[in-house]
Amino acid sequence: MKHFIDPLDLTLDEYDLLFRLADNIIESPVDFLDRAKGKLLASLFFEPSTRTRLSFEAAMNRLGGRVIGFSDANATSTTKGETLIDTINTVENYSDICAMRHFKEGAASLASKVVSTMPIINAGDGGHLHPTQTLADLITIRRHKGSFEKLNIGFCGDLKFGRTIHSLVRAINRYEDINFTFISPKELKMPDPFKSFLKKYDETESLVDAIPSLDILYMSRVQKERFVSSDEYERLKDFYILDPEKLSLAKDDMMILHPMPRVNEISPLVDKDSRAFYFEQMKMGMYGRMALILYLLELV
């Protein structure tokens, strides 16, 4: 039994398999309508979510399976003091696979050590990792860049708490000749543990200076829910705003990605630009999660 807790839990060969499987699902969805029939996905969201939760549920339903679970932890026995371990042991009695989002770093890893028959998928653990968003990101990049090699990827915004960024950096760093450009205020810099294994990276506070050389710009919101000080959040929330003026400095084929939700960091005027891929990125997330569910359930 395999879990997906960290983006490095899959080898590059396994990622390639998922990419091909996602391609097949996109090209011929009717062939997969009953592939997971009779299987149950437990959707356990201890933290708010729109895209991740709905895409997991859509993925399982489109595969012919069914979904149980909750989107509000206040409706569960955790409000009575039930531990995460007891919750997971309970859910394993009813489900074949589990997608879990939790506000505590390491929660998904803990859950994976408790179960014996139910694969655990990390749908986001605090400000740590979000490997299924990485899968969506990689599928989107592959479909438009053809490969992951020789890219200059800029990450802009909240790099300190950005679990989607932490995950993608870990995953894509395994490919050849990748340069990372980290664009953030000093208070939200990329944490040292996520830079220590990188071959090439630059750091700057200026989006204007960085954008001309980028092949991909990965924007992110400043995450209000991670801040202790509301004043600090208010000071930093609009530090970067991508608008048509800044975008005029970029390459004609630069990709703009964003894991969503956005607040003010990308102007709606950018949405119609041919370089904006963040809405397609959402859809690729559903296809990637379909492929992942099939793989972990050994239904490929």
Side-chain angles (χ1 to χ4, degrees):
M1 181 179 64
K2 194 173 186 70
H3 305 289
F4 192 41
I5 309 301
D6 183 298
L8 300 187
D9 287 341
L10 297 180
T11 66
L12 294 184
D13 286 342
E14 287 175 308
Y15 273 111
D16 284 341
L17 184 154
L18 292 181
F19 298 151
R20 294 194 300 273
L21 184 55
D23 286 342
N24 291 339
I25 294 170
I26 292 167
E27 292 166 9
S28 186
V30 69
D31 292 341
F32 295 86
L33 289 177
D34 294 320
R35 191 67 66 90
K37 187 175 181 179
K39 300 294 185 180
L40 283 176
L41 166 74
S43 174
L44 310 185
F45 279 73
F46 294 86
E47 191 178 51
S49 170
T50 300
R51 279 149 295 278
T52 303
R53 181 175 65 85
L54 291 181
S55 65
F56 264 115
E57 294 182 8
M60 194 60 169
N61 280 301
R62 287 179 181 273
L63 291 170
R66 300 182 70 181
V67 180
I68 62 173
F70 54 82
S71 59
D72 182 0
N74 289 325
T76 74
S77 290
T78 57
T79 60
K80 303 174 185 177
E82 182 173 75
T83 66
L84 176 62
I85 289 175
D86 283 354
T87 298
I88 294 299
N89 279 326
T90 299
V91 170
E92 187 176 17
N93 287 309
Y94 310 137
S95 307
D96 300 292
I97 189 168
C98 174
M100 186 178 81
R101 169 169 289 188
H102 203 280
F103 50 86
K104 287 187 177 179
E105 297 181 5
S109 179
L110 175 62
S112 71
K113 292 176 171 59
V114 172
V115 296
S116 56
T117 62
M118 180 178 68
I120 301 290
I121 301 171
N122 182 5
D125 61 333
H128 189 218
L129 296 171
H130 194 342
T132 64
Q133 179 62 50
T134 295
L135 187 55
D137 300 339
L138 292 175
I139 290 171
T140 309
I141 293 169
R142 176 178 172 270
R143 287 177 68 82
H144 294 282
K145 291 296 185 183
S147 75
F148 305 109
E149 298 182 352
K150 298 182 180 179
L151 294 174
N152 186 10
I153 307 175
F155 294 92
C156 180
D158 185 350
L159 311 189
K160 180 178 181 180
F161 299 113
R163 60 191 173 196
T164 64
I165 292 170
H166 301 164
S167 287
L168 182 54
V169 167
R170 282 173 68 77
I172 207 166
N173 184 60
R174 292 190 288 180
Y175 294 93
E176 292 297 321
D177 201 17
I178 301 291
N179 185 72
F180 299 95
T181 300
F182 298 126
I183 309 158
S184 71
K186 61 181 182 300
E187 296 87 348
L188 298 174
K189 288 178 66 173
M190 191 73 167
D192 288 339
F194 292 105
K195 294 184 296 187
S196 62
F197 52 83
L198 302 180
K199 302 177 185 112
K200 292 190 295 184
Y201 71 88
D202 304 297
E203 293 182 289
T204 180
E205 288 194 10
S206 175
L207 175 57
V208 170
D209 289 346
I211 199 170
S213 65
L214 299 179
D215 300 303
I216 297 169
L217 174 59
Y218 198 105
M219 295 294 295
S220 68
R221 69 185 173 93
V222 175
Q223 299 183 58
K224 183 177 182 179
E225 64 271 26
R226 311 291 179 208
F227 278 74
V228 175
S229 166
S230 59
D231 290 341
E232 186 76 347
Y233 168 73
E234 290 295 328
R235 185 174 68 82
L236 294 171
K237 67 176 183 178
D238 294 331
F239 204 93
Y240 300 106
I241 299 176
L242 181 63
D243 55 26
E245 182 179 359
K246 293 186 185 72
L247 195 51
S248 69
L249 304 171
K251 295 178 182 179
D252 291 341
D253 63 347
M254 185 189 77
M255 295 180 69
I256 307 165
L257 299 178
H258 193 307
M260 306 298 257
R262 68 173 162 186
V263 184
N264 297 320
E265 62 278 358
I266 298 180
S267 165
L269 296 174
V270 173
D271 293 354
K272 298 300 182 183
D273 192 287
S274 62
R275 291 167 286 190
F277 288 93
Y278 33 89
F279 293 115
E280 177 181 334
Q281 195 180 351
M282 293 183 207
K283 196 162 191 176
M284 293 304 108
M286 179 185 69
Y287 293 127
R289 290 174 178 110
M290 290 174 74
L292 180 66
I293 288 168
L294 292 177
Y295 180 65
L296 294 180
L297 288 176
E298 300 181 357
L299 298 173
V300 177

